[in-house]
Amino acid sequence: MSEFTAIKLYFCPLNSAELDTESAALINTWLPQDEIDKVNRYIKQEAKEHALMVRGFLRALLSKQVSQQAKIKPQEWCFEYGEKGKPRLSEAQFLQTGLHFNISHSGDWLVVGIGKQQSDNDDTSNDKPTASRLEFGVDIERSRASTNILSILSHYFSEPEKQALFALPNELQRERFFDLWALKESYIKAKGLGLALSLKSFAFDFSTLVETSLELDVTQGVSPLAHAVTSELGPSPIRLKQNISLSTRQESDDEQVASEQPLQKMKAAQGWHCWLGHLDVGHLDIGHLDVGQSDEQYRFAISVGQCKQVSIKAVKVDLKALLERV
């Protein structure tokens, strides 16, 4: 288990107006043919543009993490995939950089999480990183009023989570649902098992959480589009909830019995750190004109395992500014 992990969270607006012809052409030169084919499989033009932006953001942000001595250009990154499809750096590039990453997007926002470990072994010469050491997952979710939360609760939430949710006032239950869903997604992404890991096999407990804030750095372009419509994060720090407890069920041959174990019969997960944040997507801007409040609500979650301590830094990144600096 590592002593310390530093994580950077990059919040990236997926605004197609930012993807001009020059930017799209540049990102396309970074991609191997299999990734270009994946982008082109999307039918809707906006979906294609978002898929291209996601890949551009990831490659450019990874290149910003490495030193000049070990500089890896955006087009040089190579990815491998776990048994259930979780992406990671190739073994050679991981051993060169020590970087872990995870991404998630919903609606008009992408979050890219990049982490790097520091060893608890003073003799680092014998402590080379391994691709499976850090379990790290991020998720971002947009609230949707049309979601039938009751049917999902019954199929995917553990009994302790359902009991805690239904104990809340009706007006708070939908918010708790999306909070839990983001946390669950981040955890199964960290484990890399997808839905092969039952969502009922673990439970999050909010009774121990501590509310804090996360300062947001902003990287903006020098020449913003005059008529772009974008959802902007507000100037206030991000609201963050930490010390959320995670428990996993005891092994059982009976899936149904195990999924309904009360929280006290589940085992506290050791070495896990879980956070939940809410984004202030406050306004829609057209150029310099404020056209009013946006009713979109986003929350994000982070799950990190196999680590004693974690630090988090949050940055909002503009695509054009990022491409200018790569």
Side-chain angles (χ1 to χ4, degrees):
M1 182 181 293
S2 69
E3 184 71 26
F4 179 78
T5 298
I7 290 175
K8 290 183 179 179
L9 288 180
Y10 293 95
F11 294 95
C12 313
L14 296 177
N15 174 24
S16 295
E18 290 283 329
L19 188 69
D20 56 25
T21 302
E22 182 180 354
S23 298
L26 175 61
I27 295 173
N28 267 299
T29 65
W30 296 348
L31 305 184
Q33 189 59 48
D34 64 317
E35 289 195 43
I36 294 175
D37 292 342
K38 289 178 182 178
V39 170
N40 290 332
R41 288 193 191 112
Y42 289 97
I43 303 300
K44 294 183 178 180
Q45 182 62 26
E46 183 181 54
K48 287 184 180 181
E49 292 167 349
H50 282 188
L52 189 63
M53 293 174 75
V54 167
R55 288 161 172 79
F57 271 121
L58 175 61
R59 287 176 173 270
L61 289 170
L62 285 170
S63 289
K64 284 178 64 66
Q65 311 306 310
V66 295
S67 66
Q68 290 298 321
Q69 292 78 10
K71 189 66 176 177
I72 299 176
K73 297 177 181 179
Q75 63 268 29
E76 295 174 340
W77 291 105
C78 297
F79 304 110
E80 298 174 349
Y81 298 88
E83 182 180 347
K84 300 298 181 180
K86 182 179 180 179
R88 62 177 180 245
L89 294 183
S90 68
E91 183 72 9
Q93 289 186 339
F94 175 77
L95 292 174
Q96 180 181 355
T97 65
L99 295 179
H100 298 265
F101 74 91
N102 202 240
I103 67 172
S104 176
H105 56 92
S106 179
D108 295 325
W109 286 93
L110 162 73
V111 60
V112 177
I114 300 177
K116 189 168 185 178
Q117 297 167 289
Q118 296 179 5
S119 173
D120 55 1
N121 187 343
D122 292 333
D123 182 9
T124 57
S125 63
N126 295 321
D127 189 47
K128 294 183 179 180
T130 61
S132 61
R133 172 178 290 182
L134 183 70
E135 296 177 301
F136 173 40
V138 300
D139 187 60
I140 186 168
E141 295 288 340
R142 177 176 55 178
S143 296
R144 293 174 290 275
S146 60
T147 301
N148 183 347
I149 67 172
L150 294 179
S151 63
I152 298 175
L153 278 170
S154 62
H155 285 93
Y156 299 112
F157 282 37
S158 66
E159 195 63 26
E161 291 169 331
K162 289 187 287 186
Q163 291 174 0
L165 185 147
F166 287 127
L168 295 173
N170 289 338
E171 63 270 19
L172 298 180
Q173 291 180 10
R174 180 171 291 272
E175 290 300 303
R176 174 61 62 85
F177 168 85
F178 281 106
D179 286 349
L180 284 169
W181 190 259
L183 283 163
K184 282 180 169 290
E185 287 280 353
S186 71
Y187 178 69
I188 64 173
K189 291 179 70 179
K191 298 296 290 183
L193 299 176
L195 291 179
L197 176 64
S198 170
L199 293 177
K200 289 185 174 184
S201 67
F202 56 94
F204 289 99
D205 178 15
F206 284 37
S207 65
T208 58
L209 70 79
V210 175
E211 295 198 19
T212 183
S213 61
L214 183 63
E215 294 295 330
L216 182 70
D217 291 341
V218 179
T219 302
Q220 293 180 326
V222 294
S223 55
L225 296 178
H227 303 291
V229 179
T230 61
S231 296
E232 295 294 340
L233 292 181
S236 302
I238 295 173
R239 292 176 290 141
L240 193 69
K241 298 175 181 177
Q242 60 185 20
N243 290 2
I244 299 171
S245 299
L246 170 66
S247 297
T248 56
R249 73 172 182 218
Q250 302 294 327
E251 292 295 328
S252 172
D253 294 331
D254 190 328
E255 173 78 14
Q256 182 64 25
V257 171
S259 68
E260 295 183 356
Q261 287 180 353
L263 188 60
Q264 60 268 28
K265 292 187 178 180
M266 285 187 163
K267 183 179 180 181
Q270 300 299 317
W272 279 90
H273 308 267
C274 303
W275 295 265
L276 176 70
H278 289 251
L279 301 184
D280 176 18
V281 184
H283 289 79
L284 292 179
D285 297 332
I286 300 181
H288 299 292
L289 298 178
D290 180 358
V291 297
Q293 292 287 336
S294 167
D295 61 359
E296 290 189 331
Q297 296 184 17
Y298 290 81
R299 73 255 297 125
F300 64 93
I302 315 157
S303 292
V304 183
Q306 305 304 315
C307 183
K308 294 180 180 179
Q309 292 182 310
V310 182
S311 70
I312 301 176
K313 180 179 180 181
V315 184
K316 177 184 174 289
V317 182
D318 173 84
L319 179 64
K320 294 183 73 64
L322 180 63
L323 298 184
E324 290 167 0
R325 290 165 169 80
V326 172

